[in-house]
Amino acid sequence: MINPRMLELGKAPSTIRELFAYGQRRKQEVGAHHVFDLSIGNPSTPTPAAVTERMRQLLSQPAETIHGYTNAPGTAEVRAAVARNLNERFDAGALPQHVYMTCGAYAALAVALRALTVPGDQVVVNAPYFPEYRVLAEAADAQLVEVPTVPDTFQLDLAALDAAIGPRTSVVIVNSPNNPAGAVYTADVLQGLGDLLRRKSAAFGHPVFLLSDEPYRELSYDAPVPFPANFYDHTVVCYSWAKSLSLPGERIGYAYASSRMDCADEVMAAIAGAGRALGFVNAPVLFQRVMETCIDCPPDLSDYARNRTLLTEGLARLGYEFVHPDGAFYLWVRALEPDAEAFSARARELDLLIVPSNSFGCEGWVRCSYCVSSAVIERSMAAWEALKRSYE
Amino acid sequence: MINPRMLELGKAPSTIRELFAYGQRRKQEVGAHHVFDLSIGNPSTPTPAAVTERMRQLLSQPAETIHGYTNAPGTAEVRAAVARNLNERFDAGALPQHVYMTCGAYAALAVALRALTVPGDQVVVNAPYFPEYRVLAEAADAQLVEVPTVPDTFQLDLAALDAAIGPRTSVVIVNSPNNPAGAVYTADVLQGLGDLLRRKSAAFGHPVFLLSDEPYRELSYDAPVPFPANFYDHTVVCYSWAKSLSLPGERIGYAYASSRMDCADEVMAAIAGAGRALGFVNAPVLFQRVMETCIDCPPDLSDYARNRTLLTEGLARLGYEFVHPDGAFYLWVRALEPDAEAFSARARELDLLIVPSNSFGCEGWVRCSYCVSSAVIERSMAAWEALKRSYE
């Protein structure tokens, strides 16, 4: 029979993707010029020329070599490249055998959560959080536990985490730079988190794993992003080149089980098992081979930096309140009424598409993606102004 | 904690992929020339030039357009192309909204099984069968029920299916052309299967879904392959271009819920929900766009047809017994002792890599992939001869 849980998930699609789909329809109705779609994190910066050039080179090689199956965890070359990259940048101590290539960070999260939980376990997330964490945790028959972050800074609330992490907690998820709030967790906060998780693991007699979701790692404007795995050994990193190299639709990323943890081999085996169970065979091979040589390609943040300035200065001028974002390409803006969904709906009437905070596990805010052309940000200001005025 | 089921799956990787990995190591040790790897279905025929040309064209378009997210079920263009293709070739009555693009047929099977079963349901397979069906069914907490096919012909055994399908059966999987036996189910057999499933569905008061796994649909040597969905409305088709267009590592395929079934919309919603739950977002976009225009590209079967003749004639000369394959690129050969694993191990000593039938749910046979260069088949004959002699 049709599975009622899957049916419900399919009929209630993610708010973000629903808004994105609405925007696509709306653009066809009234013209793309008139819709200010700040809904989805679809990078507007072009893929670097080096990536395209590498693909062209690959296409001139024998087809059976470049499009064939790889081993399930990925090519030896790309796994070595990932380990080298992490070691050069973060002194991570990474070994290639602890890298598992995936169809993007979302698949990495899916396999890691399946590998690191048994039914009935708890998965702790820090709100506001990427809403699909709930979907993936519940699909693993785990229970999602929401812990609020510190008001205004949106840094981790270590006291609240201390209270929430119990003997059934198998995984804590962090996401820095944060989607949706744009916060970057400081080294001090991560050190505190590491200390807390070591203490909890010792008390419970089993490791509480840290799942570090890092698709925005490269997107920081003022200072490098501290690497969570350097503060806690039992960390699994979930990464994607979707945002840094503007390849979101290509589904290429990895899960990396820190080689410093005592059970890294077991965690990798369980991740490989979860890959089989969930339906992954190997990550798309052409992009594995692209990353073999393009992994050190720097992201181009110039558009996002300009947009960040345009949007924050524009909204400040209009009197909006927001969190100054240190990283990612999202601005977290306080809604002008307590009901963020109503606020988002009113914005939609003005063809301004912004995501209500309810779907991120908190009330009263909206997320605005500024990974769009600067012209969209500029043109959106009239809508922001009209929206503000409608509340006066 | 580390999930013991996932750990077990990861530590006991699929026999086929294990043999493939062994072959890769062995080739490095003794040289590729000396290893006769007939283990995996990794197409040896090059990807058609039209596919490569289409990729080159796409790479000259703006990068944010070609690498961006698509809607979760795929681009409107490729879904329309799939429906048109099925309608032109099979008069399938397919609507684009019942097509869901996936990371290959394996992902299509994963989401379809998750969508069409609840824990405790039974999934019926026809042995010999692709071993990962068991992994995917058990990951959905369903029970796999093996039904043997007819000896010698390896066609469906309708009487045995009649006996096996009960009120907890939610899905029957068929795979024609068959991996591993190479059998193509005849129209008569499929008509009988449709009649049986209609009778069972009526008796149980709920549809028994047919899951038709069709990655080899285009690989038939003598006559077109009958399309199972045309014999039974409650069919979900799982397809991949891995084999027909030699793109196995790129992970591009689809699930299609026959538009003729009354609950096609619900099935699609449940498939979309399963996609979220299992970790799929959208299928790799570059290859979605390739398929928008290359879907009618004919497969080049000339190498496989030649290999089929070389291998069958060669083994017949040596006195081996096998099933004459109508489709796919596998030869199903009777082992020279009852224990197929021992037979496969002895072949491995001769650097001849063939997959024992145990992993396909039956005893006493081996699967030989002939999607390799003809030179490999020719060179392997000495090993086949030595293997035969070792049993005399």
Side-chain angles (χ1 to χ4, degrees):
Chain A
M1 59 176 286
I2 298 177
N3 186 303
R5 282 173 68 185
M6 298 304 126
L7 189 59
E8 190 189 351
L9 272 180
K11 286 200 166 170
S14 93
T15 309
I16 299 170
R17 286 208 153 243
E18 198 169 33
L19 212 51
F20 171 61
Y22 170 83
Q24 290 194 313
R25 290 195 305 274
R26 185 69 182 153
K27 283 174 184 175
Q28 291 196 330
E29 283 168 27
V30 300
H33 197 80
H34 300 287
V35 180
F36 319 114
D37 183 358
L38 311 185
S39 70
I40 205 170
N42 214 355
S44 54
T45 292
T47 306
V51 170
T52 307
E53 186 46 39
R54 169 70 172 162
M55 276 190 273
R56 285 214 181 86
Q57 284 170 5
L58 287 167
L59 291 182
S60 65
Q61 293 181 15
E64 65 273 32
T65 316
I66 59 162
H67 299 304
Y69 288 119
T70 70
N71 285 334
T75 72
E77 291 81 1
V78 76
R79 297 169 81 195
V82 168
R84 179 191 52 71
N85 175 273
L86 292 175
N87 294 339
E88 286 179 6
R89 295 169 59 208
F90 305 114
D91 196 17
L95 300 173
Q97 64 263 38
H98 299 140
V99 175
Y100 183 94
M101 303 303 296
T102 59
C103 296
Y106 191 58
L109 288 164
V111 292
L113 277 171
R114 198 59 63 111
L116 298 177
T117 62
V118 294
D121 279 1
Q122 292 181 332
V123 173
V124 169
V125 295
N126 298 279
Y129 63 94
F130 178 53
E132 301 297 280
Y133 294 158
R134 175 177 293 281
V135 173
L136 293 177
E138 291 180 354
D141 292 321
Q143 182 198 353
L144 197 82
V145 176
E146 297 180 0
V147 174
T149 50
V150 175
D152 301 330
T153 68
F154 291 89
Q155 292 284 318
L156 299 177
D157 185 336
L158 295 178
L161 279 168
D162 196 348
I165 296 170
R168 290 301 288 171
T169 306
S170 50
V171 172
V172 174
I173 303 181
V174 293
N175 171 222
S176 169
N178 180 251
N179 170 16
V184 172
Y185 298 151
T186 66
D188 279 355
V189 160
L190 291 174
Q191 185 61 52
L193 176 68
D195 292 342
L196 172 64
L197 294 179
R198 274 182 288 274
R199 184 158 53 76
K200 292 285 187 182
S201 298
F204 302 143
H206 65 78
V208 177
F209 290 97
L210 182 63
L211 203 51
S212 181
D213 181 24
E214 306 182 5
Y216 304 100
R217 185 207 295 149
E218 268 58 77
L219 279 65
S220 105
Y221 301 96
D222 306 313
V225 174
F227 186 60
N230 279 352
F231 299 86
Y232 186 60
D233 290 350
H234 286 86
T235 298
V236 175
V237 174
C238 297
Y239 187 78
S240 163
W241 288 277
K243 317 295 180 177
S244 56
L245 299 184
S246 299
L247 296 167
E250 303 298 0
R251 321 312 300 139
I252 184 71
Y254 61 81
Y256 159 63
S258 174
S259 302
R260 292 194 182 117
M261 77 175 95
D262 48 3
C263 53
D265 289 345
E266 281 71 31
V267 169
M268 281 311 289
I271 284 174
R276 288 177 75 187
L278 298 184
F280 305 111
V281 179
N282 58 235
V285 62
L286 185 67
F287 285 93
Q288 287 192 50
R289 297 204 188 281
V290 166
M291 291 313 150
E292 287 171 8
T293 62
C294 294
I295 193 167
D296 299 318
C297 191
D300 176 2
L301 302 184
S302 55
D303 285 353
Y304 305 144
R306 186 170 61 247
N307 287 350
R308 187 177 73 136
T309 304
L310 276 172
L311 189 59
T312 53
E313 288 184 357
L315 293 196
R317 240 187 334 263
L318 292 169
Y320 281 96
E321 188 188 337
F322 54 81
V323 179
H324 187 79
D326 290 322
F329 41 43
Y330 303 114
L331 189 69
W332 191 236
V333 179
R334 196 183 288 277
L336 296 178
E337 62 178 303
D339 182 344
E341 285 183 347
F343 180 67
S344 167
R346 196 185 287 196
R348 199 164 94 163
E349 295 294 307
L350 299 161
D351 286 321
L352 175 63
L353 306 185
I354 51 185
V355 185
S357 60
N358 311 59
S359 53
F360 300 101
C362 79
E363 301 284 330
W365 298 76
V366 287
R367 188 193 78 170
C368 314
S369 299
Y370 54 84
C371 51
V372 295
S373 80
S374 299
V376 171
I377 304 279
E378 284 163 352
R379 284 201 308 271
S380 78
M381 282 302 150
W384 283 105
E385 189 171 359
L387 182 62
K388 183 84 180 359
R389 235 183 255 148
S390 79
Y391 280 95
E392 285 166 357
Chain B
M1 60 176 286
I2 299 176
N3 186 302
R5 281 172 67 185
M6 298 305 126
L7 188 60
E8 190 189 352
L9 273 179
K11 285 198 167 175
S14 91
T15 309
I16 298 170
R17 287 209 150 241
E18 199 169 34
L19 211 51
F20 172 59
Y22 170 84
Q24 290 194 314
R25 290 194 305 274
R26 184 70 182 153
K27 283 175 184 175
Q28 290 196 330
E29 284 169 26
V30 300
H33 196 81
H34 300 287
V35 180
F36 319 114
D37 183 358
L38 311 185
S39 70
I40 205 171
N42 214 357
S44 54
T45 292
T47 306
V51 170
T52 306
E53 185 48 39
R54 168 70 172 162
M55 276 190 273
R56 285 214 181 85
Q57 284 169 4
L58 287 167
L59 290 183
S60 64
Q61 293 180 15
E64 64 272 30
T65 317
I66 57 162
H67 300 304
Y69 287 120
T70 70
N71 286 334
T75 71
E77 291 81 1
V78 75
R79 298 169 80 195
V82 168
R84 179 191 52 71
N85 174 273
L86 292 175
N87 294 339
E88 287 179 6
R89 296 170 57 208
F90 305 114
D91 195 16
L95 300 173
Q97 64 262 38
H98 299 140
V99 176
Y100 183 93
M101 303 302 295
T102 59
C103 296
Y106 190 58
L109 287 164
V111 294
L113 278 171
R114 197 61 61 110
L116 299 178
T117 62
V118 294
D121 278 2
Q122 293 182 332
V123 172
V124 170
V125 295
N126 298 279
Y129 62 93
F130 178 52
E132 301 298 281
Y133 293 158
R134 173 177 292 281
V135 174
L136 294 177
E138 292 181 353
D141 292 321
Q143 182 197 354
L144 197 83
V145 175
E146 297 181 358
V147 174
T149 51
V150 176
D152 301 332
T153 68
F154 292 88
Q155 292 284 320
L156 299 177
D157 184 335
L158 296 176
L161 279 168
D162 196 348
I165 296 170
R168 291 300 288 171
T169 306
S170 49
V171 172
V172 174
I173 303 180
V174 292
N175 171 221
S176 169
N178 180 251
N179 171 14
V184 172
Y185 298 152
T186 65
D188 279 354
V189 161
L190 291 174
Q191 185 62 50
L193 176 67
D195 292 341
L196 171 65
L197 294 179
R198 275 182 288 275
R199 184 158 55 75
K200 292 284 186 182
S201 299
F204 302 142
H206 64 79
V208 177
F209 290 98
L210 182 63
L211 201 52
S212 181
D213 181 24
E214 306 182 3
Y216 303 99
R217 185 209 293 149
E218 267 60 77
L219 278 66
S220 101
Y221 301 96
D222 307 312
V225 174
F227 186 59
N230 278 352
F231 299 87
Y232 185 61
D233 290 349
H234 285 85
T235 297
V236 175
V237 173
C238 297
Y239 186 79
S240 163
W241 288 278
K243 316 295 180 179
S244 56
L245 299 184
S246 299
L247 296 167
E250 303 299 358
R251 320 313 300 139
I252 185 70
Y254 62 81
Y256 159 64
S258 174
S259 301
R260 292 193 182 119
M261 76 175 95
D262 49 2
C263 53
D265 289 344
E266 281 70 30
V267 169
M268 280 310 288
I271 284 175
R276 288 177 75 186
L278 297 184
F280 305 110
V281 180
N282 58 236
V285 62
L286 186 67
F287 286 93
Q288 286 192 51
R289 298 204 188 282
V290 165
M291 292 313 151
E292 286 170 11
T293 61
C294 295
I295 194 167
D296 299 318
C297 191
D300 174 3
L301 302 184
S302 55
D303 284 354
Y304 306 144
R306 185 169 61 246
N307 287 350
R308 187 177 73 137
T309 304
L310 276 173
L311 190 59
T312 54
E313 289 184 357
L315 294 196
R317 238 186 333 262
L318 291 169
Y320 282 95
E321 186 188 340
F322 53 82
V323 179
H324 188 79
D326 291 321
F329 41 44
Y330 302 114
L331 188 69
W332 192 235
V333 178
R334 196 182 290 276
L336 296 178
E337 60 178 304
D339 182 344
E341 285 183 345
F343 180 67
S344 167
R346 195 185 287 196
R348 199 163 95 166
E349 295 293 308
L350 298 162
D351 287 320
L352 175 64
L353 307 185
I354 50 184
V355 185
S357 60
N358 310 61
S359 52
F360 301 101
C362 80
E363 302 284 330
W365 298 76
V366 287
R367 187 193 78 170
C368 313
S369 299
Y370 52 83
C371 50
V372 295
S373 80
S374 298
V376 171
I377 304 277
E378 283 163 351
R379 284 201 307 271
S380 77
M381 282 303 151
W384 284 106
E385 188 171 358
L387 182 61
K388 182 86 180 359
R389 232 181 260 153
S390 79
Y391 281 94
E392 284 164 359

